[in-house]
Amino acid sequence: EVQLLESGGGLVQPGGSLTLSCVVSGFTAKDNYMTWVRQAPGKGLEWVSVIDSGGFTNYADSVKGRFIMSRDNSRNTLYLRINSLRAEDTAVYYCARGRTTLTTYPYLQHWGQGTLVTVSS
Amino acid sequence: DIQLTQSPSFLSASVGDRVTISCRASQDIGRYLVWYQQKPGKAPKLLIYAALNLESGVPSRFSGSGSGTEFTLTINGLQPEDLATYYCQQVDNYPSSFGGGTKVEIK
């Protein structure tokens, strides 16, 4: 069974840093596109970042330079390092497994339950 | 970057109705469009990929159409369990992007 389990969210002060984790099971993360998507309270979905099987990453303009996505193949785990946190980064952060059937870039087949990051003093 | 505009942002319909949701892209994205359903308090769920392909296990009352810049999600025979917000996503290029969402209410 495919499962994705995010953790690491919490209350953080503006300017602080946080690392989110996503442990996956039922498949091998390093062989798949993996993506982070966030959702501010009461708002829509926002694509954040992606990592492919070769380790190539891409980021939304809104987080480029502050967010770093990485992967630990031995732990089948994804990470999202978030630096210089701002109030507008407050959101539920989802990790998701991508698929490219009939597409060049990945869409999101399996999702975790999300972890909430709150940025506030 | 590619922008997606969904309409309407909210709709209210009765059980059994045919519901259509539109998604317009700011440039030609071929058929690289996906639809998701998000129920309250839950993660999104994949419904349609590559504009018109139904994901396995998704009821056949859901269908997608369109190409280029204009896309439509149709629900033929709305059911109570279809209460949700629906999002389109373009996967034509990075950065990927989502539409603003359409919240569907059951009358």
Side-chain angles (χ1 to χ4, degrees), chain A residues 11-30:
Chain A
L11 177 62
V12 187
Q13 291 192 337
S17 297
L18 200 62
T19 298
L20 307 182
S21 301
C22 174
V23 179
V24 312
S25 58
F27 69 98
T28 302
K30 71 177 179 66

